[in-house]
Amino acid sequence: MRASRSGNIWQHVDWTTIGLFLLLVFFGWLNIYGASYTFDQTSIFDFSNRAGKQFAWIMGSLVMGIVLLLIDYKTYDVLAYIAYGAMLLLLLATPFLAHDIKGSMSWISLGPVSLQPAEFAKCIVALAVAKYMGRYEYKLRTWRDLIVPFALIGVPALIIMVLQKETGSALVFAAFLLVFYRQGMSGYVLWTGVAAVALFIISIRWGEAALPLGSGSVGMLTCMLLLTVVEIFFICKEHQMRWQALILVGSVIVIYGICLLINIWITVPFNWVSIGVVVALMLYTVFVSLYWRKYMLLLVAAFSLFCIGYTQACDFVFQKVLQPHQRIRIEVLLGMKEDPAGAGYNVNQARIAIGSGRFFGKGYLKGTQTKLQFVPEQDTDFIFCTVGEEWGFVGSIGVLLVYLWFILRLIEIAERQRSLFTQIYAYAVASIFLFHLMINVGMVLGLLPVIGIPLPFFSYGGSSLWGFTLLLFILLRLDAARMEQLR
C-alpha cells in the first residue's frame, strides 16, 4: 500500500478527521459572523467585515491543506531541523519587524494582512521534537535524555515570551510535557509543575494573611505543611516501614504542639518553625537515602530545598517580574481584588453573555451582549461567549463534544502509527489542541487567568487558522502514508 507512489493518496486520508475539521471551521465562521454582526449588515461574504475576511482565510486554509497532502511525507522528516532553524531566525527577527499591538511585538505586516509567526512555530517545534525523539537510538531513560527536547521547546518559548511579549503563545509550549510523559518521562515532572503552580497560588493569595496565633503568614505555613506531608510520604514509600510514618507524623505534631504552648507566653515565629521542620525532614531524608541507598530520596530532598527558596521568591516574581496587567488579572482571578470595570471586565461580560443564553440560547444573530459590543475581543479570544449566548448550554456542550471527538480521533491516529516520528508528532498535535481548548474555555468562564490564546478553528484570524491547519494536515499526510513507514 504505497499511497504516495500510486497517486491514490485520497483513499488513505482520514476523512473523519477532515470532516470534523470542516465542521469546526464552518461553525466557527458562523459564530464570527454572529459576533461581528451589526443590524445594517447584509452578507456573511462581505469582505468589509471580519466574517468575510475569515472566509478568505478559510479558502486559503483549504488550499493549504490540499497542498500539504500532496507533498511527499518524507519531506516533513527531512526538513524538520532546517525549518526549526529558519523558524528561530524568524522569531528573533519578528520584534524588529513588528509593530507594537497592545504591548505585543509579534505581528508582521505583509501589505494588507498581518501574520503572527508564533502560531506557525508550534508546528515546526512539534516536527523537530518528533524527529529528535523518534530516532532509533533515542531512549528516554534519565533526565539527561530530556535536555535536548526541553531546549527545543524552551528556546522558542523564551523568545516569544521575552522578546515578543506574548505570554499566551509561549505557554502553549507547555503542552509538549504531555508528549514527553507519553514517551516515558516520569510523572513526577508533571507533579512538580502542579506543585509549583499550587505553591505560587497559595503564596500569593494568602502570603499576607496573618496567623491568628503567633507571628507568620497563612500562606507560608500552608506551603511548608504541604512540603512536610510530601517528605513524610516519600520517606515511608521508599523505606516501607509503617512505624516510621507514625514516629515522623507524631514528631511533627509534638513540635507544633509545643510551639502552641510556648506561644501562650512568647510570640512564636511559625514561619521559621515550619521551615525548620521541613529542613529537619530534608536532612533526615538525605541520611535515609545514603544509609539505606534509597537514592530517589535525594531528589525529594533537592525538591524540598528548591520549594523553600521558591516560596520565598514567589512574591518577588509576582511584584517585579510579571507585568502590571498580568498581576491584576491574577489578583482578580484569585479574588484578591474586585475590578469589574478593568481587568475583570472581559470575564464578567463573557459570563453575563454565556449565562444570558440559558439552555437553548437566544438564537443565531440575536445575542444582545455581542450585538451591543459589551464583550471585548468577542470574535477572537472570547468567541466561546458568542456560542453560549446564541446557542445556549445545549450548543456549548455540542461544540465541546465535537472538540472531544476531534481530540480523541487525533489520539487514535497517534496510537495506530508504525513510525515513532509520526506517533510523537501526532501526540504533540493532540496535546496542542487540547491545551488551547482547555485554556481558552477556562479563560472565558473565569476559571483561568486571561492570557489570550485562540480557540482552534473558531477564533477570528488567519495566523491561528493557518497554524492549526498546518499542524493538522501534516499529521493527516503522515498518517496516510503509515503503511509505508517502519518503526
Side-chain angles (χ1 to χ4, degrees):
M1 297 177 64
R2 306 185 70 81
S4 61
R5 296 185 182 180
S6 66
N8 207 15
I9 178 68
W10 307 109
Q11 286 187 357
H12 307 286
V13 171
D14 192 303
W15 289 105
T16 300
T17 304
I18 290 182
L20 293 172
F21 160 77
L22 293 174
L23 178 62
L24 289 170
V25 168
F26 177 73
F27 196 57
W29 178 46
L30 291 181
N31 281 277
I32 290 172
Y33 182 63
S36 58
Y37 176 80
T38 56
F39 296 107
D40 59 349
Q41 208 164 298
T42 57
S43 174
I44 194 173
F45 298 100
D46 185 355
F47 287 95
S48 65
N49 62 62
R50 288 198 161 185
K53 294 175 183 177
Q54 186 71 4
F55 177 75
W57 290 115
I58 291 172
M59 292 298 101
S61 71
L62 295 179
V63 173
M64 176 189 289
I66 293 172
V67 171
L68 291 171
L69 290 176
L70 293 175
I71 294 175
D72 189 334
Y73 74 92
K74 296 178 182 177
T75 305
Y76 302 116
D77 188 343
V78 173
L79 297 181
Y81 288 156
I82 298 174
Y84 182 83
M87 179 268 298
L88 287 183
L89 292 176
L90 180 59
L91 290 179
L92 287 170
T94 297
F96 302 99
L97 302 174
H99 299 288
D100 190 333
I101 301 177
K102 297 181 180 180
S104 172
M105 303 291 292
S106 61
W107 292 86
I108 298 178
S109 296
L110 300 173
V113 299
S114 296
L115 291 177
Q116 188 177 22
E119 289 295 334
F120 303 95
K122 293 173 286 192
C123 176
I124 306 302
V125 171
L127 287 172
V129 168
K131 184 174 179 64
Y132 182 82
M133 298 183 70
R135 295 175 303 152
Y136 178 76
E137 69 275 13
Y138 180 81
K139 301 294 181 184
L140 186 53
R141 299 187 184 92
T142 66
W143 63 269
R144 294 182 183 87
D145 299 316
L146 282 170
I147 293 177
V148 174
F150 269 104
L152 288 173
I153 66 173
V155 172
L158 284 174
I159 294 174
I160 293 169
M161 179 179 290
V162 177
L163 297 183
Q164 299 184 14
K165 300 179 182 179
E166 268 288 336
T167 306
S169 297
L171 288 178
V172 172
F173 290 92
F176 284 92
L177 292 177
L178 298 176
V179 182
F180 299 160
Y181 175 70
R182 176 60 181 81
Q183 296 307 122
M185 183 184 73
S186 173
Y188 291 132
V189 177
L190 292 179
W191 281 112
T192 299
V194 173
V197 173
L199 292 177
F200 182 82
I201 292 174
I202 294 171
S203 298
I204 297 304
R205 178 63 180 85
W206 292 283
E208 300 297 326
L211 292 170
L213 297 173
S215 65
S217 71
V218 174
M220 179 59 68
L221 179 61
T222 303
C223 289
M224 292 303 107
L225 286 175
L226 288 175
L227 286 179
T228 300
V229 172
V230 169
E231 288 185 317
I232 293 176
F233 171 79
F234 278 103
I235 291 172
C236 299
K237 179 177 179 294
E238 292 295 317
H239 210 188
Q240 295 182 350
M241 292 185 180
R242 294 182 179 179
W243 58 266
Q244 191 176 45
L246 296 175
I247 292 175
L248 291 175
V249 172
S251 299
V252 172
I253 293 174
V254 168
I255 290 172
Y256 279 103
I258 292 174
C259 289
L260 287 173
L261 288 175
I262 294 175
N263 192 72
I264 297 176
W265 300 281
I266 304 174
T267 301
V268 176
F270 278 97
N271 279 0
W272 291 107
V273 171
S274 59
I275 293 175
V277 170
V278 173
V279 171
L281 283 171
M282 183 181 68
L283 294 175
Y284 180 71
T285 301
V286 173
F287 168 76
V288 171
S289 174
L290 297 177
Y291 186 81
W292 294 100
R293 298 182 181 179
K294 303 288 186 179
Y295 297 116
M296 172 64 186
L297 292 178
L298 287 177
L299 294 177
V300 177
F303 172 75
S304 300
L305 182 62
F306 166 78
C307 286
I308 292 174
Y310 176 77
T311 52
Q312 299 293 325
C314 281
D315 185 67
F316 173 81
V317 172
F318 185 72
Q319 298 294 338
K320 304 297 183 182
V321 177
L322 295 182
Q323 298 295 320
H325 68 278
Q326 295 171 331
R327 289 199 299 271
I328 190 65
R329 287 173 180 175
I330 293 175
E331 289 172 339
V332 170
L333 177 69
L334 297 180
M336 300 166 64
K337 285 186 177 180
E338 294 290 337
D339 190 18
Y345 180 79
N346 288 27
V347 173
N348 287 337
Q349 293 300 324
R351 284 175 172 173
I352 293 171
I354 293 174
S356 66
R358 299 191 178 183
F359 200 73
F360 292 107
K362 296 178 179 177
Y364 186 53
L365 303 181
K366 297 180 180 179
T368 54
Q369 294 297 117
T370 53
K371 299 301 163 293
L372 298 176
Q373 305 290 317
F374 280 110
V375 184
E377 311 295 340
Q378 61 190 17
D379 53 4
T380 53
D381 296 340
F382 283 81
I383 187 70
F384 193 73
C385 71
T386 304
V387 178
E389 183 180 22
E390 296 191 345
W391 303 91
F393 177 79
V394 174
S396 300
I397 292 298
V399 169
L400 294 178
L401 288 176
V402 174
Y403 271 115
L404 176 62
W405 186 7
F406 176 73
I407 292 171
L408 290 176
R409 189 68 182 179
L410 295 179
I411 295 174
E412 181 181 344
I413 290 174
E415 289 292 337
R416 71 189 183 196
Q417 297 307 310
R418 295 159 56 90
S419 163
L420 191 56
F421 167 80
T422 307
Q423 185 180 69
I424 294 172
Y425 178 76
Y427 278 119
V429 173
S431 298
I432 290 170
F433 277 108
L434 177 63
F435 189 91
H436 268 272
L437 176 64
M438 293 179 61
I439 298 299
N440 183 276
V441 175
M443 176 184 74
V444 172
L445 295 178
L447 302 176
L448 295 171
V450 178
I451 59 174
I453 64 173
L455 185 63
F457 307 129
F458 263 65
S459 295
Y460 169 79
S463 294
S464 64
L465 177 60
W466 283 15
F468 291 128
T469 301
L470 191 67
L471 266 171
L472 178 63
F473 278 82
I474 288 179
L475 172 60
L476 293 176
R477 179 63 185 93
L478 293 170
D479 176 62
R482 65 185 180 277
M483 298 309 295
E484 300 181 53
Q485 303 170 1
L486 298 177
R487 287 190 179 273

